[in-house]
Amino acid sequence: MDILLLLENDFKRKGLIRMKESIWQEIPKTFSWEPIHDNEQVEVAVIGGGMAGILTAYQLQEQGFNVKVFEAETVGCGVTSYTTAKITSQHNIFYNQLFEDYGLERAREYAKRNQEAITEYEKMVKYLNIDCDFKREASFVYSMNRLDRLEKEADVARCLGLPAEYTKETDLPFEVNGAVRFEKQAQFHPLKFLYAVAEKLNGYEHTKVLQIKKPHTLRVVNRDQEDEVFEVTADYIIVTTHYPFINVPGYYFARMYQERSYVAAIREEKTIQKGMYIGAYNTGYSFRRYQDYILIGGEKHKTGYGLDKNHSKALIKSIRGFYKDAEVEKIWATQDCMSLDQIPYIGRYSNKLDYIYVATGYNKWGMSSSMVSAKLLTDILCGIVESEESIFSPGRFKIKTSTNTLVNNIKTATKRLSLQMTWVPKTKLDEIEPGHGGIVSYHGKKAGVYKDEDGTVYAVKTKCPHLGCMLQWNQEEKSWDCPCHGSRFDYKGNQINNPANSDLPRKENIEKNN
């Protein structure tokens, strides 16, 4: 029998055929915040209750700022819940390119802040007495072929003050040609840590920020009573919503794209007792151990693309090559914001908005980058550092590393906007099989539909509410994905991932009109 069919039958028995919660979400949430109920004035408003937002709020509060966090759903429910939870300054094969593009001083700043982030996590764990399975581990970038860049990467990283060395010794279940090893990196349980820190803060859950009005004013709604809009005034506003939702100024939609990747948790006792691993040059897979699990990640693709492939099944097939008899417990997907030059945007949102700050574009290294964001933004607001002086400044722009991605982003958006306005599909509603979705035509118009196993039809508009690009159906995850900027919606039209800030409009009675 085909291996994928065997896997599908196995997953059906376990209830895992669709993307599920990560292993981090198995623990209960230990606290809750009330939704907002009135207008308010604060010194610092932090928008977003993920790792970056909570750490930023905590660091600012420690410096005496009056801070409130505004979270649209619940603390930690977003990308933080789906990380592999590695805390490392080793960001694949990166430091030699960083040195060539930005020079010694800037490269040292990047390296120093990311290495210090690990130490700061450890300090917080001890100071707050957080039981979050924090553990120092070595980190490795391994390669199955090219070695020249690995050796050079280790040399440059050492010159930047990082604990790097070249090695051929790993704990992986296969032989490698070589690897770059960083000593004394770390890993932890992200939600155990996050909940413990958030309990020390003040904030609102189920409280959505609709927009930022000048001067210094947020328009906010209680998700349970969205007919009433509240206003929150703040001296400083910090946007940590994974992907910024203010389009202009800033233009982050032109300076980033989003990638999806997949993580499986397997039970395996023999290998990877030590170390965290990732394949060099954006190939191969990510590995780390957590208690009885090994977490294996990979199968990345740009959001809205590669949807003709079942990536979770492909990942599991590869895992069977490493661990023939391993039991796959869970599999989940995550989404990352990718900047033009692989460096996060941390600092002033725009030179036209001197009271708004941003942290985004973590390029798959969200745990270390979240702490870097928190410490750097705190330094900026305390007047220790100027935003524009940092390598992380959102105002930077390197032609060499940015032009191709920027042009491709513009081409993609132009094409999808044109399709949304002019293209009419040939597929009819009755051609959509139960359990499937797609874009169908009715009376010269189009609609995005999903037909469940009982034949119930869910129809939505195919125009992304962010900037109008035409959405793409993701059969594997039963979602509508935007190839332009990475917004995602479930089959009912409910928003899953930003930058879109609203749900998809529904289309009613499409069966009668088809």
Side-chain angles (χ1 to χ4, degrees), residues 125-140:
V125 168
K126 292 178 179 178
Y127 177 67
L128 298 175
N129 193 27
I130 303 174
D131 180 10
C132 62
D133 307 306
F134 182 91
K135 183 182 180 182
R136 288 281 191 166
E137 283 281 6
S139 177
F140 297 77

Side-chain angles (χ1 to χ4, degrees), residues 86 88-94 138-144 146-147 149-150 153 165-167 170 172 176-182 276-283 285 365:
K86 301 174 183 176
T88 175
S89 59
Q90 185 182 54
H91 296 171
N92 213 299
I93 301 301
F94 175 64
S139 177
F140 297 77
V141 176
Y142 67 89
S143 178
M144 309 297 290
R146 294 179 57 184
L147 301 181
R149 286 179 61 186
L150 289 184
E153 178 77 3
E165 65 174 351
Y166 176 76
T167 184
T170 74
L172 289 165
V176 303
N177 284 354
V180 179
R181 174 186 175 120
F182 277 28
M276 306 176 293
Y277 302 86
I278 193 165
Y281 323 119
N282 295 312
T283 61
Y285 296 90
W365 304 108

Side-chain angles (χ1 to χ4, degrees), residues 21-256:
E21 293 180 341
S22 71
I23 60 171
W24 316 126
Q25 293 168 302
E26 293 174 348
I27 67 165
K29 187 163 172 283
T30 56
F31 75 101
S32 62
W33 292 334
E34 291 294 318
I36 195 167
H37 290 289
D38 205 349
N39 296 332
E40 190 162 350
Q41 183 174 0
V42 297
E43 190 174 6
V44 183
V46 175
I47 308 173
M51 188 65 74
I54 295 300
L55 285 176
T56 300
Y58 175 81
Q59 294 290 340
L60 286 169
Q61 183 173 281
E62 286 294 286
Q63 295 301 315
F65 287 87
N66 174 21
V67 188
K68 281 282 180 72
V69 180
F70 297 82
E71 166 56 44
E73 300 295 339
T74 59
V75 166
C77 71
V79 175
T80 299
S81 291
Y82 302 98
T83 175
T84 53
K86 301 174 183 176
I87 311 170
T88 175
S89 59
Q90 185 182 54
H91 296 171
N92 213 299
I93 301 301
F94 175 64
Y95 283 103
N96 183 53
Q97 188 66 52
L98 179 68
F99 170 73
E100 291 181 356
D101 287 345
Y102 287 95
L104 181 61
E105 183 180 352
R106 291 286 184 262
R108 276 182 175 164
E109 181 199 357
Y110 184 99
K112 183 173 184 289
R113 284 195 175 273
N114 276 280
Q115 189 64 26
E116 287 176 346
I118 306 168
T119 303
E120 186 62 26
Y121 271 110
E122 188 170 36
K123 287 180 179 178
M124 288 181 63
V125 168
K126 292 178 179 178
Y127 177 67
L128 298 175
N129 193 27
I130 303 174
D131 180 10
C132 62
D133 307 306
F134 182 91
K135 183 182 180 182
R136 288 281 191 166
E137 283 281 6
S139 177
F140 297 77
V141 176
Y142 67 89
S143 178
M144 309 297 290
N145 40 57
R146 294 179 57 184
L147 301 181
D148 53 325
R149 286 179 61 186
L150 289 184
E151 294 173 338
K152 191 170 185 178
E153 178 77 3
D155 290 341
V156 171
R158 266 197 314 276
C159 289
L160 297 176
L162 294 168
E165 65 174 351
Y166 176 76
T167 184
K168 292 188 177 182
E169 300 296 324
T170 74
D171 211 19
L172 289 165
F174 48 82
E175 295 294 324
V176 303
N177 284 354
V180 179
R181 174 186 175 120
F182 277 28
E183 279 293 340
K184 295 184 178 180
Q185 308 300 289
Q187 60 186 35
F188 68 158
H189 189 301
L191 293 187
K192 287 182 180 180
F193 175 86
L194 188 73
Y195 293 160
V197 178
E199 286 179 341
K200 311 295 183 184
L201 305 174
N202 295 310
Y204 297 106
E205 293 181 310
H206 304 291
T207 298
K208 185 173 183 177
V209 177
L210 300 177
Q211 68 178 132
I212 300 175
K213 293 173 58 179
K214 293 183 180 180
H216 301 270
T217 306
L218 304 176
R219 296 182 70 250
V220 179
V221 294
N222 179 327
R223 297 300 297 271
D224 298 326
Q225 301 172 351
E226 294 196 10
D227 55 330
E228 184 174 7
V229 178
F230 301 104
E231 289 194 348
V232 176
T233 58
D235 296 336
Y236 303 102
I237 297 169
I238 300 178
V239 180
T240 64
T241 54
H242 183 62
Y243 198 118
F245 65 96
I246 309 169
N247 290 324
V248 180
Y251 300 96
Y252 290 92
F253 63 86
R255 298 197 281 154
M256 291 196 303

Side-chain angles (χ1 to χ4, degrees), residues 375-508:
K375 298 293 286 185
L376 178 55
L377 289 169
T378 300
D379 285 349
I380 292 171
L381 266 63
C382 287
I384 299 172
V385 175
E386 289 291 333
S387 175
E388 290 73 16
E389 294 176 355
S390 173
I391 188 174
F392 300 96
S393 170
R396 72 181 185 276
F397 187 80
K398 281 283 183 180
I399 296 296
K400 179 181 177 181
T401 58
S402 301
T403 301
N404 288 341
T405 303
L406 182 61
V407 169
N408 288 337
N409 285 354
I410 293 172
K411 284 183 177 179
T412 297
T414 302
K415 180 179 179 181
R416 301 303 297 188
L417 283 166
S418 176
L419 284 172
Q420 175 59 31
M421 291 187 290
T422 62
W423 178 71
V424 178
K426 296 180 180 179
T427 304
K428 302 295 184 183
L429 179 60
D430 58 9
E431 298 177 65
I432 300 293
E433 298 178 4
H436 289 73
I439 300 177
V440 302
S441 173
Y442 71 105
H443 295 303
K445 301 177 183 179
K446 57 178 168 286
V449 302
Y450 170 70
K451 188 182 295 183
D452 70 16
E453 300 293 347
D454 297 326
T456 303
V457 173
Y458 301 87
V460 297
K461 290 187 176 180
T462 58
K463 180 179 179 180
C464 180
H466 174 230
L467 287 176
C469 293
M470 190 175 76
L471 301 171
Q472 188 87 358
W473 174 248
N474 180 340
Q475 178 61 30
E476 179 180 6
E477 299 188 66
K478 303 292 189 291
S479 64
W480 292 101
D481 300 358
C482 179
C484 293
H485 309 112
S487 298
R488 298 179 61 248
F489 310 84
D490 69 16
Y491 64 85
K492 295 181 180 180
N494 300 311
Q495 179 196 351
I496 304 173
N497 294 100
N498 54 356
N501 205 27
S502 63
D503 297 337
L504 293 179
R506 274 66 162 179
K507 284 183 173 285
E508 305 293 340

Side-chain angles (χ1 to χ4, degrees), residues 269-422:
E269 299 177 354
K270 297 179 181 179
T271 64
I272 311 187
Q273 299 301 319
K274 297 180 180 179
M276 306 176 293
Y277 302 86
I278 193 165
Y281 323 119
N282 295 312
T283 61
Y285 296 90
S286 164
F287 297 82
R288 68 154 285 196
R289 176 169 287 280
Y290 175 71
Q291 296 182 352
D292 295 334
Y293 295 110
I294 293 178
L295 309 186
I296 305 174
E299 292 294 326
K300 72 179 182 67
H301 63 93
K302 187 176 180 182
T303 304
Y305 288 83
L307 301 183
D308 56 339
K309 178 181 180 181
N310 190 309
H311 297 276
S312 58
K313 287 184 179 180
L315 175 60
I316 295 168
K317 184 176 181 180
S318 295
I319 290 171
R320 294 298 189 199
F322 306 137
Y323 304 101
K324 182 178 179 182
D325 299 320
E327 182 180 357
V328 180
E329 291 287 326
K330 286 197 174 187
I331 186 164
W332 64 90
T334 189
Q335 185 151 304
D336 296 284
C337 290
M338 314 298 289
S339 66
L340 298 182
D341 57 3
Q342 300 180 63
I343 302 170
Y345 299 117
I346 307 168
R348 185 171 284 121
Y349 199 99
S350 165
N351 58 12
K352 296 180 180 179
L353 297 170
D354 61 359
Y355 62 94
I356 305 179
Y357 295 84
V358 68
T360 189
Y362 291 163
N363 303 283
K364 301 184 184 297
W365 304 108
M367 296 299 97
S368 58
S369 295
S370 290
M371 185 64 82
V372 170
S373 298
K375 298 293 286 185
L376 178 55
L377 289 169
T378 300
D379 285 349
I380 292 171
L381 266 63
C382 287
I384 299 172
V385 175
E386 289 291 333
S387 175
E388 290 73 16
E389 294 176 355
S390 173
I391 188 174
F392 300 96
S393 170
R396 72 181 185 276
F397 187 80
K398 281 283 183 180
I399 296 296
K400 179 181 177 181
T401 58
S402 301
T403 301
N404 288 341
T405 303
L406 182 61
V407 169
N408 288 337
N409 285 354
I410 293 172
K411 284 183 177 179
T412 297
T414 302
K415 180 179 179 181
R416 301 303 297 188
L417 283 166
S418 176
L419 284 172
Q420 175 59 31
M421 291 187 290
T422 62

Side-chain angles (χ1 to χ4, degrees), residues 9-25:
N9 291 336
D10 185 44
F11 265 44
K12 281 180 178 177
R13 285 193 297 272
K14 297 174 183 175
L16 294 173
I17 196 62
R18 293 184 182 178
M19 294 291 119
K20 285 291 183 181
E21 293 180 341
S22 71
I23 60 171
W24 316 126
Q25 293 168 302

